[in-house]
């Protein structure tokens, strides 16, 4: 079962994706053998929020130290480690139980909520960490001194256009898909505005299909085609509940144009959310950010894989030398409206 492949990926990950879809009431989990720690890590990365039962510690030979860090959630929960024979058959069951308890607690990651009272209230999810790590590796996210179009001097710069390979798009699509699925927003299709939204919507729809959600996607042409199939829409017909997907919102122009395009194409289509890679959480001319303005104007949730506060949290642990300038920038230009 562990070695079987379905659609180019391990079959057990396909099962995990299906379970994630069933888990609407947060009452479904998965069983992953503790004797397969790498599979356990893959399942946790694929399903950041699911509860996992991991039998195999003790009599079957799995080591707590290999199991807990790979299976526990960011909040320090989400993992059940049953130990029965190693306790019940011990010379002193009570002492054996205490020993396993202490070993499990010692194996918890030091950033998890159960091991420190100073844990961040919104711990980064695995897909957020993977996105930031990949963005840094591809230099789509850089630290330094960058003059923005607004004239502000920023200590960081993000450019999704530097995700230029198939592997890049696969990672990007997985991060978008995780963000969307974790939101529990009901949707029927994706719309990616030209141009950067096109590959993002494509990659995200493929990632969703790998997880059992086969939804349509579409994009607009900048100029209507007057031959062949004609028109300005490419892809699936715009209908049902639509998620508008792009990299960032700078002034909100592309979002407003997309909303007009979708309404004109099908007045009955309903945009239910906007999905971004990065929310800079940065004020415009007023007190609100461009993201907040879109939220207020269209009464829509705007989701993002990461925000500026997520980036600061990530930098705190991995690149602390950039932290002072990021916090200064946030203090100077960050949004003051929650």
């Amino acid at each position: 079962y562990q070695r079987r492949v379905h659609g180019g990926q391990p079959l057990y990950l396909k099962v995990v994706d299906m379970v994630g879809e069933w888990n609407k009431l947060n009452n479904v989990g998965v069983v992953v053998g503790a004797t397969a720690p790498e599979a356990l890590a893959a399942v946790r990365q694929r399903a950041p929020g699911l509860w996992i039962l991991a039998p195999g510690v003790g009599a079957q030979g799995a080591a707590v130290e290999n199991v807990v860090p790979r299976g526990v959630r960011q909040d320090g929960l989400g993992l059940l480690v049953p130990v029965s024979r190693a306790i019940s058959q011990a010379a002193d069951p009570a002492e054996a139980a205490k020993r396993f308890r202490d070993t499990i607690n010692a194996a918890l990651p030091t950033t998890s909520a159960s091991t420190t009272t100073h844990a961040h209230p919104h711990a980064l999810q695995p897909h957020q960490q993977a996105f930031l790590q990949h963005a840094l590796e591809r230099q789509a996210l850089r630290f330094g001194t960058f003059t923005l179009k607004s004239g502000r001097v920023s200590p960081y710069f993000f450019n999704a256009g530097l995700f230029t390979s198939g592997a890049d798009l696969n990672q990007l699509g997985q991060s978008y898909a995780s963000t969307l699925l974790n939101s529990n927003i009901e949707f029927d299709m994706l719309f990616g505005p030209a141009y950067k939204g096109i590959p993002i919507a494509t990659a995200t729809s493929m990632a969703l299909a790998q997880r059992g959600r086969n939804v349509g996607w579409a994009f607009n042409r900048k100029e209507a085609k007057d031959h062949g199939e004609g028109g300005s829409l490419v892809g699936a017909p715009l209908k049902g509940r639509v998620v508008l997907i792009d990299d960032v919102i700078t002034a909100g122009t592309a979002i407003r144009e997309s909303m007009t395009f979708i309404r004109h194409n099908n007045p009955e289509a309903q945009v239910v959310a906007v999905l971004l890679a990065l929310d800079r959480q940065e004020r415009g001319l007023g007190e609100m950010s461009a993201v907040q303005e879109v939220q207020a104007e269209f009464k829509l949730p705007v989701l993002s894989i990461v925000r500026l506060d997520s980036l600061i949290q990530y930098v705190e642990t991995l690149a602390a030398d950039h932290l002072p300038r990021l916090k200064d920038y946030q203090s100077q230009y960050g949004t003051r409206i929650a």
Side-chain angles (χ1 to χ4, degrees), residues 85-311:
R85 280 180 289 170
I87 293 176
S88 63
Q89 297 177 9
D92 187 341
E95 182 59 34
K98 291 179 182 178
R99 185 171 62 254
F100 274 109
R101 178 202 62 191
D102 293 343
T103 304
I104 289 172
N105 286 336
L108 286 168
T110 56
T111 55
S112 67
S114 63
T115 59
T116 175
T117 58
H118 303 289
H120 196 282
H122 302 291
L124 291 180
Q125 296 293 313
H127 72 276
Q128 295 176 304
Q129 296 179 14
F131 170 78
L132 288 170
Q133 179 180 344
H134 192 68
L136 287 169
E137 290 173 353
R138 301 300 296 157
Q139 295 191 337
L141 174 63
R142 292 185 290 158
F143 298 112
T145 301
F146 306 93
T147 301
L148 306 180
K149 188 176 181 180
S150 63
R152 295 174 180 174
V153 179
S154 173
Y156 75 101
F157 189 75
F158 175 71
N159 179 11
L162 293 177
F163 294 119
T164 56
S165 71
D168 290 342
L169 286 180
N170 178 62
Q171 177 65 59
L172 189 64
Q174 295 294 340
S175 297
Y176 271 96
S178 292
T179 303
L180 183 53
L181 293 176
N182 288 348
S183 74
N184 292 320
I185 291 174
E186 297 293 334
F187 64 97
D188 300 306
M189 68 171 298
L190 308 177
F191 177 82
Y195 290 104
K196 284 185 179 178
I198 298 173
I200 295 172
T202 306
T204 304
S205 68
M206 295 174 68
L208 289 168
Q210 292 175 3
R211 305 185 189 198
R213 288 299 308 272
N214 187 27
V215 299
W217 64 278
F219 65 90
N220 61 304
R221 287 193 176 99
K222 287 284 190 179
E223 297 179 1
K225 190 176 180 181
D226 59 4
H227 60 280
E229 75 276 14
S232 300
L233 179 70
V234 180
L238 285 168
K239 61 181 180 180
R241 297 162 297 190
V242 182
V243 173
L244 205 164
I245 188 166
D246 211 344
D247 58 343
V248 296
I249 292 179
T250 303
T253 304
I255 301 299
R256 293 181 177 91
E257 291 176 349
S258 296
M259 294 292 291
T260 301
F261 178 87
I262 292 170
R263 288 172 180 157
H264 177 77
N265 191 276
N266 181 3
E268 295 184 0
Q270 178 189 7
V271 177
V272 294
V274 176
L275 177 58
L276 309 172
L278 172 67
D279 176 1
R280 290 182 62 93
Q281 295 181 294
E282 185 174 325
R283 298 193 312 276
L285 296 177
E287 288 300 304
M288 292 195 298
S289 70
V291 166
Q292 291 171 328
E293 290 173 355
V294 167
Q295 289 175 319
E297 180 177 350
F298 297 106
K299 304 298 187 292
L300 288 174
V302 177
L303 313 172
S304 60
I305 301 172
V306 294
R307 310 189 308 179
L308 176 57
D309 55 9
S310 313
L311 176 58

Side-chain angles (χ1 to χ4, degrees), residues 50-62:
L50 277 183
W51 277 88
I52 298 175
L53 177 67
V57 168
Q60 296 184 48

